[in-house]
Amino acid sequence: ILRRQAAPCGPRRVGLKLPGRRIPRPGCGIVAGDQLVGQVTSGTFSPTLQQPIAMGYLQGLVAGLLVSE
């Protein structure tokens, strides 16, 4: 497990909050700028947050560069 956690290049599971009301579906791409950097695994609408949320995997190097707001 420690070896896998230390590997920066492996995929990282992330949580996403999305603008608007469209729910992302499994298999949808995750893009940063014009580059495909990951894939959505599940998504739904959060009644608490009043916005769509999703889980997905990002390429390891990209996941370390993105910052949560």
Side-chain angles (χ1 to χ4, degrees), residues 2 9 37 45 49 66 69:
L2 294 175
C9 295
V37 295
F45 185 80
L49 299 174
L66 298 179
E69 292 185 16

Side-chain angles (χ1 to χ4, degrees), residues 11-57:
R12 302 283 185 200
R13 186 169 51 177
V14 295
L16 306 164
K17 292 192 305 185
L18 295 102
R21 298 187 67 83
R22 296 189 67 182
I23 298 170
R25 297 292 176 205
C28 290
I30 300 172
V31 296
D34 60 349
Q35 184 179 5
L36 180 65
V37 295
Q39 188 172 25
V40 172
T41 57
S42 63
T44 191
F45 185 80
S46 168
T48 302
L49 299 174
Q50 290 295 303
Q51 69 186 100
I53 57 173
M55 298 276 307
Y57 283 97

